[in-house]
Amino acid sequence: MIRNLIIGAILSSLVLLAALVSFVWTPFDHTAMDIPAKLQTPNTDHWLGTDHFGRDIFSMVMVGARTSIAVALVAVGIGMSIGIPLGLTAAARSGSWLDELIMRGNDLVFAFPSLVIAILITAIFGAGAVNAIIAIGIFNIPVFARITRGASLSLWQREFILAARVSGKGPARISAEHILPNIANLLIVQGTIQFSLGILAEAGLSYVGLGAQPPTPSWGRMLADAQTMVSFAPHLALIPGSAIIVTVLGLNLMGDGLRDWLDPKLRVTRT
Amino acid sequence: MLRYSLKRLLSLILSLAVASLVIFFVIEVAPGDPASFMLGINAQPDTVAALRTELGLDQSKFARYANWVTGMLHGDFGTSYTYRTPVAGMISDRLWVSLPLALYALVLSTLIAFPAGIFAAARRGKGGDMAVMGATQLGVAVPNFWFAMMLVLIFAINLRWFNAGGFAGWDKGLWSGLHSLTLPAISLALPQAAILARVMRSALLDILGEDFMRTARAKGLSRRQALWRHGVRNALIPVLTIIGLQFSFLLAGAIIIEQVFYLPGLGRLVFQAISARDLIVVESVVMLLVFAVITVNFLVDLAYAAVDPRLRSRT
Amino acid sequence: MSLLDIQNLSMSIVGVPILQHVSLSVASGEIVAVTGESGSGKSMTALAVMQLLPDIAQASGTVSLGGTNILDQSEAQMCALRGASIGMVFQEPMTALNPVQTIGDQVMETILIHKAMPKAKARQHAQDVLERVGLPADRFPLSRFPHELSGGQRQRVVIAMAIALRPKLLIADEPTTALDVTTQAQILALLKDLVQDYDMGLLMITHDLAVVADLADKIVVMRRGKVIEAGPTQDLLTNMQQPYTRMLFAASNHQVALPPPPKPKPLLQVKDAVRDYALPRTSLFAAPGHYRAVKQVSFTLNRGERLGLVGESGCGKSTLTRAILGLEPLQGGQILLDGQPVTPTQGADMQRKMQVVFQDPFGSFNPRHRVDRLITEPFYLLTDPPKGRARQNLIAETLIAVGLSPNDATKYIHQFSGGQRQRIAIARALITRPELILFDEAVSALDVSVRAQILDLLADLCESYALTYLFISHDLNVVRTITDRVLVMKAGEIVEQGATETVFSAPQHPYTQSLLAAAPKLPELSKGVITA
Amino acid sequence: KDSIIVAMQLEPPHLDPTSAAAGAIDSVLYSNVFEGLTRFMGDGAVVPGLAESWEISNDGLTYTFTLHGGVAFHDGTTLDGEDVKFSLDRARAEDSTNAQKALFAGITDITVVDPQTVKVTLAEPNGNFLFNLAWGDAVIVAPESIDDIKTNPVGTGAFKFTNWVQGDRIDLTRNADYWGTPAVLNTATFKFISDPTAAFASVMAEDVDAFISFPAPENIPQFEADPRFQVLVGSTEGETILSTNNKQPPFDDVRVRQALAHAIDRQAIVDGAMFGYGTPIGSHFAPHNPAYLDLTANSAFDPEKSKALLAEAGMGDGFTTTLHLPPPSYARRGGEIIAAQLAEVGIKAEIINVEWAQWLETVFRGKDFGLTIISHTEPMDIGIYARPEYYFQYDNKGFQELMTDLNATTDPAKRIELMQQAQTIISDDYVNGYLFQLAQLSVAKAGVQGLWSNAPTQATDLTAVSWAE
Ligand SMILES: Nc1ncnc2c1ncn2[C@@H]1O[C@H](COP(=O)(O)OP(=O)(O)OP(=O)(O)O)[C@@H](O)[C@H]1O
Ligand SMILES: Nc1ncnc2c1ncn2[C@@H]1O[C@H](COP(=O)(O)OP(=O)(O)OP(=O)(O)O)[C@@H](O)[C@H]1O
Ligand SMILES: [Mg+2]
Ligand SMILES: [Mg+2]
C-alpha cells in the first residue's frame, strides 16, 4: 500500500532530519550538565525536559538519532557487503561443495544466540558503538546471504540466464549483470527491515550497557538510565522509547510499502 | 524419510563439532581471569596461582578443549569456576525455568498470531486487516524490555495481580509456576506474535491465490470454509519455519527479560557467567543453545513432512 | 429449453470492459466449445457462470441455469449450486489440487460439503467416481496424495471432483492444455463419455481448434470480450462468416514453404550421447544413484538442414539441448560441432557457433535491459565485437530482419507483445550469425495467429540466411511444416528418424504411430475458405 | 510473623567465605551462619565472637584465645581448638585460596593448648590483629564439612543453611542449638535481584520484606514517602575515589593531580550520581571513624585554580586520558559527571565502561589506565597507600614508614594520631581524587526491626531481626 510508504518515509525522514540537524544545531549542548536543574518536565526552556544530570533531553534525542542510524546503517552495510556476495556465490555454484559450505556456515551463525554473542564480543573487545556494529553486523550476514541465494536460485532457472550462458558469460559476470540488478528491490526491502531491527538491537545492547559509550547519547542508554526513574519521571523513558518506536515503525512501514510498490510478488522474510 | 533424517543428523553432528571449536576458542580469548575475579583486589599472586591450579586453568587450551569435549560426550559439562558445582546440574536447573518460559511465550504468541493473521488475511484490505496490521507494526516496533517495564508497573505494582518478578518454582504446583512466568511470557510473546501474525497473513494470501483454492470454491465451499480447510494447513509451512526460529530465539534471547523479572533462567546464568569469566559455563550454555537451535530446525524439518506429504517421500 | 443460457453478459473491471454482450447457451447432453485467442474473455465468461469473478468485477445481463438467474443469487445460494449443479475443471492439473490432502478427501469434500450423503457412503461414492474417471481403487487408493500422480491422473481427479454430484452443467477451462497429446486424447474421450452417460451440458473452453472441431456440438468464437461467431460445428466450419474466424483456423494449420536444403555435409554430430542426473544418495553409504535422461542418442545434423525433434513432455528434449549447447557435461558419448568436441569448458570460438531460442517469451530476457543490450549479449563471445556505428547498424539490420523497427532498440522488453518478444529472441540468436540455432519449444507459448507469423519469419530467414537449426516441439503440426527431417524421441531414446514427410505419413515405430494418432487433427477445410 | 525475605543485588558465587572475595558471600553468611573468633558489630566495633576472651602478651606477639564452651557446628560436631587451628592454618597455607591471605601473614604459629584454648604467635606486633580476625575471611570452619563447604556451608551461627536455588535464593532456618542468644526469626530467605528496576518493583510489589543496599538512590524518596516502608540510611566502609595512575604521565606530576582534585565538584557528584546520599571526603578515610579528619577543603572545587595548575604543569592546553568505569552506578554515573567536569578544565577523559573481570585485568593488575572510579569497601584500608605496587602506584617512603609504625602501635591515642597524619599526607599529595563515602541505603517494610543500617563489613546480620507487633 502506497500509504504505508508515504507514512513510513515521512517518519523515517523526520528522524533522519533530526540526526542531520544535530550536526550543526541542537537547542543545548547535549553533554552539558546542570545537576541542580535535573529531572525537569518538558517546559519552554527545555522542550522535552532534562534528565537526571540536568542535560537537555531534546538535544540528546537528536544526537541519539545519529548514533542509532549510524550503528544500524553500518551494521546493515556489513551484512550486505559480505552476505550478498556469499549468497550470489552459493547460488551460482548451487549444489556444489562451496554452496554447501556457505549455507552450512550460515546455518551455524544463525544457530548462535545473537544476544549472547553480542555480549561476548563486547566482553572481549570492550563495550562501544563499533563493537555493537560488529555484533549486529555479523548476524546480518546470513540473513542477506540466505535471501540473496534464495532469490538468485530461482533467477538462475530463468531462460535469460541460460541465454547469457550461451553467450559465454561466466557465473561471476552473470551474477553481477543479471542476478544482482534483479534482486536489488528485494535486497533494498530486506535492508530497511534489517535497518529497523538494527536500531532495536542497538537499543537492546545499550540497554544492557554494551552499546555506544557516554558521553555519546544513545536512545537505548537513555532508556536504560531512565528505567529506575519511570515511577517519578516517566517522560525520561517515554521520550527515547517513543523515538525508537517511531523510527522502527517508520522503517517497517517504509519497507512494507516499498515491497508493495516495487513488486507485489516479492517475498521477504522477517524474523 | 529415514534417509533424509540420517543425512540431517550427520550435518547436525558436524555443525555441533564446528560450533564447539568456534565457541571454545572465541570465548577463551576474552580478557579477564576467573581466578582473579574470584579472589578480588586484595588477593596475593600466589593465591591466584593456587586457585588457577585448583580450577585446572593452568593446563593448555587444547588440553582443556579436549577435556571439555570428551566430558560433554559423557554428559559431563565440567565444573563451574565460580559456583564450583557441575555445570550440567546448573544448566538443567535453569532449563526448568527457561524452557517452560520459551514454550509458554511460544504458545501465547501462536494463540495470538494465528487468529490475528487468519482474520487479517480473510479481510484483506478492509478495516479489520488494517487494524491488525497496524497493531503488528507497533508490536514489532516496541522494544520488549520497555514493554516488560510497563507490564510490571501496571500489573505488579499498581494492580498487584502478579509478582514483580522471581520464579515460584514448580514444586509449589503448576499454577504458581505458570503464574510467575506469565508477565515475562507476555512481554516475550507480543513482538513474536506480531511477526508471526504477519507471516501467517502473507502466507495465507499467497495460498489464496493458488489454483486449488479456486477449485475448492468451485466445489461449493464458501470463502471462509475454503480458507480454513485448504488455506491454513498449506500456510503452515512458512509459519512453521518462523515458529522454529522464534523458539530458539526465545530460549536464548530472554536474557534481558530474565533480568527485568529476575528469573533464574539460562540467559541470566550466561550473563553472570560472562561477567565472572566463568568460561566453562558460558561455553556449555552457548553449546547447548546452538544444539537446541539446530535440533529445533531439525524437528521443524520433520514437522514440514508431517504437514506436507510431498516432503515425506523426499529423498 | 437450454440448460445454461447466457444473455447479454457484460462485465468490466475498474471501468475496463472485459466482456461485452456475451450470449451463448448450452443444452443438456451438449458440448459447446468456446474458442478464441488469449485474453479474449473465455475464462471470464466461465467464471461469471460460477460467480467466482474477482471482487472488483461488475457484471450485468442474465446467466440463467435451469431458469434461475445466477447473477441474482446470494453467495450462500451460489455455494449450494457450485459443485452440486455446476462443476468446473481448470487448466492446470499440477496446481488445481490441494497438495496436502489425499485425493479421496478432496473428492469426498464435494459430496460432504453439500451434505449429499453420510460420510461412509460418500467414501464409497468417491471411490466409484474415481473408478469412473479411470482411477480404480486397487491401483489408486483414496489415500494417495496429488504429488503421487501424473499430470493426466491429476486431471482425472479434478474431473472426478467436478462430477461427483453429477452436476447438470460442467465447465472445463482449457482442461488439456497442460497435458501431452496422448494424455490429452484420453481426457477428451473421458469428457465426451461423461457427457453421454450423465446427460450433462459441457461448456468447454479451449484455444486448440483441432480439439474444438473434434469434440464440440457447437462452437462459439470470442474476440476482445465479444462473441463474434457461433453455430453448430459443421455449419461453422464449412461456412465461416467472420474473417477473424477464418484467420484463426488458417493460422492453426499454417504451412510454410522452406527453401530446399543444400547437399548433406555434417555440421553437428551426436554420438551415443548419455546424460545422467545425479540423484541424492539413497543411504548414507551407498553411492548416489542417477537418472538417465538421455540414453545413447546418436544423430547427425547437416549444414543448412532443418531438423525437428518431437516427443512427449519429459522425454529429454531440453536436456539434450543443453548438452548440445555445452551448458552441461555428458556422461557418455560425444557431441561434435564442425568436427570439434562440445564441452562445458569449450572456448568462445566454439560457443559462438551456436545460439538458442527458448519457449518462454517472458522469461528469456532480463527485464532491466534495453533491447539493444539484450540482443547484443552474444557479442561477448566475439574477440572483436563491432562498436559505435557498426554496432548500431548491425542492431538495426537484425531488428529489421526479424520484422521489428530499429527504433525498438531503446525499448524495454515489457513494452512488447509475446510474438514481438519471440522475434527479439530470434534477433539475439541471429546477431552473431551462428552456424547452428536451437529452438526449444520456441512457438509453443504463442497464440495461433502469432505462431503463424513466427513460422513465416523462420521460413523467410531460411531463405535469406540459410539457417541450420534443430527445432524442438511437441506440436506435430508445427514440426511437420518447419523441418526437413525429424527425430522422434521417447524416454531418452530416439526411436525413429527420417525425412519429415515420410515419418508423418508412414510412421514405422509404434510410438510414433500412437503419437500421430492421438494428435487432434483439423478437418480438411476447403482451400477456398482458408484465405486469411 | 517469624520469617523474612531479604533481597540483595548480587548472588554469592559459592558459599565459602574463606576462599573468595565476593562480598555477597559474607552478605548472606557472615554472623548468620559463620562466626569468627571476633566479630564486627553494626557500629563497626570489634567484639568477642567465638572467643570468649583473650590475652595479649606484653610484647604484643602472642594472643591466647579462650573459646566459648558448648559451641557446636550445625552438623552436630563440637567446636574446639583444633577447628580454630585448622581454619587459620588453612587460610595461611601455601596453597590457600583465601582472598585476604594478607590478614594472616603475620602469624608464625598456632598451638592448641587445650580444647578451649588456642595460642597464636605473631612475627611482629600487629595492632589490627583482632580486627583482622573479625573479617568474614577469618571465620571458623570445621574440617569435617570443608569438602562441601561451597554448596553446603556448615558453621556455628544462629542460622543454619537449608537450601540454595541458584540464580534465585538462599534459605536459612533458625539454629535451635545456638550457643548464644538465639535468633528471633524462624526462617530467612535471601533473594538476588541485580537489576535496579526489578529491585524497585520487587519492593513496591512487596515481593520482598527488605532490600539491603538498594541500588537506585533515586528511588529512596519514594520509599520514604510511603508509610509501608522504612528507609535505613547508613554508611559503609567504601571510600569512593577517583583513582589516579600516579606513575602515568601527566599524573606523575603532583600539580596535575591537584588540578584534577580542584576540577571536581564533589557535591554535584553526590547529588547527581547518588541523589544526595553520601558524605564528601577529602582523604582515604571513613567519616564515621573516630580518627577521621575533614580534609575536603584541601581539594575544594575551584576550576580556575585547576586551570592555573595545569598551565603551571605545562598542560595548559589540557590533555586526554582514559576513565575506566566498573559496573556499579556510583562509578558509571559518577564517571559521566566527572568526565563532564574535567572537560570544563580542558581534560578530556574518554569513558571506558568495563566489567569487573576486565577491570581487574586491565586496571588493577595491568595498571593500564589513567583514571578509574571505585569504592574501596574494605574497612580501614588506608594501608594500601603503603604498597607502591598497588594499582594506583603511589610510592612515598615516608608514608610507608608511617604505616609500619601504625601497625606496630597498639596505644589507641597514638594510633589516632598516626592515622590522622596518614590522611593528611595522601590528601596533600593528591594521590587520588577523594569523592565521597558510599552510603548504605536499605529499604524494609515498616515492621522490620533490628537490621544493621551501617555496613562496617559486608554483612546482613539477621540474628537480632524481628517483626514489630
Ligand atoms: N483480475 C483481473 N483484473 C483485471 N483484468 C483481468 C483480470 N483477470 C483477467 N483480466 C483481463 O480480462 C481479459 C479476459 O481474460 P480471460 O482470462 O477471460 O482470457 P482468456 O480468453 O481466458 O485467455 P487465455 O486463453 O489466455 O486463458 C484479459 O484482457 C485479462 O487481461
Ligand atoms: N536437474 C535435473 N535433475 C534431475 N532430473 C532432471 C533434471 N532436469 C530434468 N530432469 C529429468 O530429465 C527428464 C527429461 O527432462 P527434459 O527437461 O529434458 O524433458 P523435455 O523433453 O524437455 O520435456 P518438456 O517437453 O516438458 O520440456 C525428465 O524426466 C526430468 O524430470
Ligand atoms: Mg483463460
Ligand atoms: Mg523441455
Side-chain angles (χ1 to χ4, degrees), chain D residues 31 91 105 118 131 145 168 172 177 184 192 206 208 258 266 350 372 375 382-383 420 422 454 456:
Chain D
S31 162
V118 180
F131 172 89
S145 56
D168 189 37
L172 306 181
D177 305 323
V184 186
F192 310 106
E206 297 183 33
V208 299
Q258 190 182 354
R266 291 191 187 87
E350 184 204 341
T372 184
S375 203
I382 197 168
Q420 293 188 335
N454 294 323

Side-chain angles (χ1 to χ4, degrees), chain A residues 31 33 35 38-39 52-53 55 122-123 126-127 207 209 213-215 221 225 227-229 231-232, chain D residues 195-197 200 216 218-219 222 268-269 271-273 275 332-333 336-337 340 351-353 355 358:
Chain A
T31 57
M33 294 185 184
I35 292 177
K38 68 183 177 185
L39 299 176
H52 56 290
F53 292 150
R55 289 176 294 196
T122 51
Y207 185 80
Q213 297 299 293
R221 209 157 41 75
D225 285 346
Q227 60 169 339
T228 53
M229 302 172 211
S231 45
F232 58 91
Chain D
D195 188 73
T197 324
F200 174 73
E218 57 270 37
N219 289 323
Q222 281 173 289
I269 297 169
D271 288 345
F275 286 73
R332 294 275 164 96
R333 282 190 188 155
E336 269 197 73
I337 301 173
I351 291 178
I352 300 173
N353 287 345
E355 290 174 79
Q358 250 170 309

Side-chain angles (χ1 to χ4, degrees), chain D residues 46-123:
Chain D
V46 176
V47 301
L50 289 172
E52 199 173 49
S53 61
W54 51 80
E55 272 170 38
I56 309 172
S57 65
N58 286 338
D59 58 4
L61 291 180
T62 314
Y63 286 69
T64 311
F65 294 96
T66 309
L67 305 181
H68 267 285
V71 178
F73 283 99
H74 298 144
D75 62 358
T77 58
T78 48
L79 170 110
D80 57 24
E82 290 300 336
D83 295 312
V84 173
K85 180 174 164 54
F86 169 77
S87 301
L88 296 182
D89 277 345
R90 177 169 168 267
R92 66 197 193 96
E94 186 95 34
D95 62 349
S96 155
T97 53
N98 195 300
Q100 313 288 348
K101 202 172 157 188
L103 294 178
F104 314 96
I107 302 177
T108 52
D109 184 52
I110 301 161
T111 21
V112 181
V113 180
D114 64 53
Q116 298 303 114
T117 313
V118 180
K119 202 164 82 188
V120 180
T121 312
L122 305 182

Side-chain angles (χ1 to χ4, degrees), chain C residues 277-279 291 293 312-320 322 441 474:
Chain C
Y277 286 114
L279 295 177
Y291 174 76
E312 64 189 23
S313 180
C315 69
K317 303 186 296 286
S318 296
T319 305
L320 186 59
R322 287 195 293 270
E441 307 274 14
H474 64 265

Side-chain angles (χ1 to χ4, degrees), chain C residues 205-241:
Chain C
I205 295 169
T206 176
H207 64 263
D208 189 332
L209 294 173
V211 169
V212 172
D214 216 31
L215 197 70
D217 299 317
K218 272 194 332 207
I219 297 179
V220 176
V221 182
M222 289 185 70
R223 187 188 192 194
R224 294 187 191 146
K226 290 187 191 143
V227 172
I228 56 162
E229 192 158 4
T233 307
Q234 275 317 311
D235 295 359
L236 192 130
L237 286 182
T238 49
N239 185 18
M240 292 183 204
Q241 299 299 315

Side-chain angles (χ1 to χ4, degrees), chain D residues 21-40:
Chain D
I25 305 179
D26 286 349
S27 292
V28 174
L29 301 175
Y30 186 81
S31 162
N32 294 329
V33 174
F34 285 112
E35 297 169 306
L37 292 175
T38 59
R39 59 162 295 173
F40 291 112

Side-chain angles (χ1 to χ4, degrees), chain B residues 58-133:
Chain B
D58 51 349
Q59 298 170 33
S60 80
K61 276 198 172 36
F62 291 96
R64 277 188 296 128
Y65 175 71
N67 284 344
W68 179 57
V69 171
T70 43
M72 272 197 298
L73 292 178
H74 298 97
D76 171 14
F77 287 76
T79 305
S80 155
Y81 296 153
T82 46
Y83 286 90
R84 309 304 279 283
T85 49
V87 177
M90 291 169 65
I91 291 181
S92 74
D93 285 351
R94 303 302 180 102
L95 265 182
W96 276 104
V97 180
S98 286
L99 205 61
L101 176 61
L103 284 174
Y104 192 0
L106 199 68
V107 168
L108 279 181
S109 109
T110 315
L111 284 182
I112 299 169
F114 272 41
I118 294 171
F119 174 87
R123 283 171 188 66
R124 171 178 209 176
K126 303 217 181 86
D129 183 19
M130 302 279 189
V132 172
M133 283 301 102

